[in-house]
Amino acid sequence: MNIILGITGGIAAYKTASLARLLVKQGYSVRVVMTAGACEFITPLTFQALTGNAVHTTLLDEQAEKGMGHIELAKWADKIIVAPASANSIASMCSGSANELLYAVILASKAKLFIAPAMNEVMWANPVVQKNIQELKKMYVDKIQFIGPDAGEQACGDVGYGRMSEPEYIVEFVSRLNEQITVEQILVGKKVMITAGPTQELIDPVRYITNKSSGKMGYALAIAAQKMGAQVILVSGPVNLKCPENIAIINVQSAKQMLQQALANINDCDIFIGCAAVADYACSQVSEHKLKKIDGQSTMTLELIKNPDILASIAQLPNKPFCVGFAAETQNVEQNAKIKLEQKNLDWIVANDVSKSEIGFNSDDNQVTLISKEKTLQFKKMSKQKLAYSILNAVCTDF
Ligand code: PMT
């Protein structure tokens, strides 16, 4: 798969170096096209080193025209990503300007176009910029996809929408081209708490009981809720995932800590989603010192005690938020999920068949059934990120 990475003039161009590296790592062939403005922020040499390909900077370059001129580049590309896309580059693309190689390539290419805007928040909110974006969407219809921008602190010190989306998110988005994720801002003004990952229940100072949860499903839900406009609190067990941008994360180890943090922060939350794979039992006694192997004894018995149920505790609160649980099952999936929906006093439950390795624990994809007292919605297999948006969209129709 061939990708042209177009870089325009903006401070976020430094993040595009990571983006180039991640795209190459994913197996894409990457050719970089930089505008004159981009070259003021970061050198072409950086991208040549990262992609292993010569970087294209000028429209009328005799050398380049013999090799990879704008038409050849346009035909070569399967996808074009513009990151960062400055306000000026969006205006140029909108006007059909071809005064820079990048814009000429875009005009001449049939490739899918991904635009990751990055600019000051006031510029982003400016009606002229917004009008240009709407025009581009109208003109290119299915060919164009905007990614971000995200909200947060900006290089200029201002805070608001305008930060370029993180390289990891852009790669994920571009890789999932066929999934058409639609993000509607339906959670603006809402506070959402999500639990994610496994818990670890200590046996002694160096050993614990845990499970295979990677946190991917819970983190995907947190990202989706944040992108849909919610204020998100993520209570996470130990995972190897980067904390998503603009999400308040509370790291915990055990089920007891997860319960304590969930209860301490649940005030004002409108929605609670229990996606964590919480250990049902913990050791009744945690040994102060590392347990020793005992000579002549071939078995060892640990006494376990039931952990508190976090989801059920939240769902019993007098001002309970809208509660969504997950049921990880290996048999009678929907039937067992319905029992948990009732027993834990939930509004929805996500029935998750975890008997198959390509869905459920630690997989990138998932396939679930969403069940409420009135409805059952079956989702086909899709990425956890897309599923997260689908779950939240469905839940919001009832909330
Ligand atoms: O993290 P990944 O690798 O992406 O995998 C995702 C997942 C498989 C972990 C996720 O999709 C999932 O199914 N999470 C729920 C796992 C689980 O513990 O299911 P359960 O059926 O045992 O629990 C039912 C519900 O009660 C869950 O919402 C759970 O968070 C909650 N619970 C359970 C026990 C407990 N002591 N406290 C709880 O809150």
Side-chain angles (χ1 to χ4, degrees):
M1 178 75 69
N2 297 336
I3 289 195
I4 286 182
L5 184 54
I7 310 173
T8 74
I11 181 61
Y14 80 91
K15 281 185 175 177
T16 311
S18 303
L19 178 57
R21 192 180 57 79
L22 289 171
L23 288 168
V24 171
K25 217 169 140 194
Q26 290 270 319
Y28 292 110
S29 288
V30 181
R31 289 191 173 268
V32 172
V33 178
M34 297 174 76
T35 64
C39 297
E40 297 290 325
F41 285 93
I42 189 162
T43 68
L45 196 59
T46 305
F47 293 99
Q48 187 175 319
L50 288 168
T51 62
N53 287 318
V55 172
H56 307 265
T57 53
T58 45
L59 183 58
L60 301 172
D61 177 340
E62 213 175 282
Q63 276 312 104
E65 286 299 319
K66 279 187 205 147
M68 271 274 175
H70 68 284
I71 300 298
E72 282 93 328
L73 277 170
K75 284 186 182 157
W76 175 85
D78 297 308
K79 297 175 186 179
I80 300 175
I81 305 172
V82 183
S86 62
N88 182 55
S89 70
I90 290 171
S92 298
M93 286 183 263
C94 190
S95 71
S97 160
N99 63 346
E100 287 263 8
L101 174 63
L102 177 61
Y103 311 136
V105 170
I106 290 171
L107 281 178
S109 180
K110 289 182 181 160
K112 179 97 183 177
L113 188 55
F114 296 89
I115 311 284
M119 65 195 77
N120 166 274
E121 52 136 2
V122 182
M123 289 173 82
W124 171 250
N126 191 303
V128 179
V129 173
Q130 291 303 317
K131 183 179 139 281
N132 285 340
I133 288 167
Q134 292 316 319
E135 289 288 315
L136 273 171
K137 283 183 182 168
K138 255 190 256 160
M139 286 185 292
Y140 285 112
V141 199
D142 288 338
K143 200 187 135 180
I144 200 165
Q145 196 97 49
F146 279 81
I147 308 174
D150 287 351
E153 196 180 335
Q154 304 193 297
C156 56
D158 287 355
V159 177
Y161 277 94
R163 281 168 63 98
M164 187 174 104
S165 292
E166 290 306 307
E168 291 82 0
Y169 181 72
I170 296 176
V171 174
E172 165 77 15
F173 196 103
V174 171
S175 304
R176 299 285 178 180
L177 170 63
N178 299 327
E179 288 200 322
Q180 301 290 353
I181 296 175
T182 319
V183 182
E184 283 180 58
Q185 296 271 299
I186 45 178
L187 287 173
V188 172
K190 303 290 178 213
K191 201 166 162 186
V192 179
M193 180 184 283
I194 296 161
T195 63
T199 62
Q200 293 176 349
E201 311 299 334
L202 286 176
I203 298 169
D204 66 18
V206 294
R207 302 183 180 99
Y208 49 73
I209 299 167
T210 191
N211 59 65
K212 292 190 200 164
S213 171
S214 62
K216 287 178 192 171
M217 189 68 242
Y219 276 54
L221 282 161
I223 291 169
Q226 193 273 332
K227 299 261 177 219
M228 290 164 98
Q231 183 189 341
V232 179
I233 303 175
L234 178 61
V235 186
S236 176
V239 295
N240 287 319
L241 299 175
K242 207 173 131 202
C243 171
E245 287 275 306
N246 301 316
I247 288 173
I249 189 155
I250 302 171
N251 291 301
V252 296
Q253 185 180 18
S254 66
K256 274 199 192 117
Q257 289 168 1
M258 193 173 264
L259 175 70
Q260 196 185 14
Q261 290 301 329
L263 288 175
N265 293 281
I266 196 68
N267 247 352
D268 308 335
C269 282
D270 302 285
I271 301 176
F272 177 82
I273 306 179
C275 186
V278 185
D280 287 326
Y281 291 88
C283 289
S284 59
Q285 295 282 336
V286 177
S287 170
E288 194 185 338
H289 298 287
K290 184 179 169 228
L291 292 173
K292 295 269 179 212
K293 226 184 322 186
I294 302 170
D295 285 342
Q297 202 172 299
S298 60
T299 60
M300 181 190 195
T301 306
L302 290 173
E303 191 188 60
L304 301 179
I305 183 167
K306 222 180 206 165
N307 262 331
D309 193 302
I310 300 155
L311 181 58
S313 308
I314 300 282
Q316 272 164 21
L317 292 173
N319 294 326
K320 96 173 186 50
F322 192 88
C323 285
V324 182
F326 271 73
E329 302 291 341
T330 54
Q331 53 184 345
N332 304 326
V333 180
E334 287 189 26
Q335 202 182 323
N336 286 333
K338 280 181 186 157
I339 295 170
K340 284 178 182 166
L341 177 83
E342 283 291 330
Q343 281 179 346
K344 300 195 190 210
N345 188 29
L346 307 178
D347 297 289
W348 281 96
I349 194 147
V350 183
N352 199 165
D353 183 345
V354 291
S355 64
K356 300 176 189 135
S357 63
E358 71 278 11
I359 54 172
F361 283 96
N362 199 23
S363 55
D364 290 329
D365 296 326
N366 207 354
Q367 185 174 7
V368 301
T369 304
L370 191 54
I371 303 170
S372 73
K373 288 196 181 87
E374 292 83 29
K375 285 183 251 177
T376 298
L377 302 173
Q378 259 154 2
F379 293 104
K380 62 180 175 36
K381 184 176 159 194
M382 61 183 97
S383 73
K384 284 185 175 167
Q385 192 57 73
K386 179 158 195 224
L387 180 63
Y389 286 105
S390 303
I391 291 173
L392 287 170
N393 273 322
V395 160
C396 283
T397 58
D398 261 19
F399 167 65

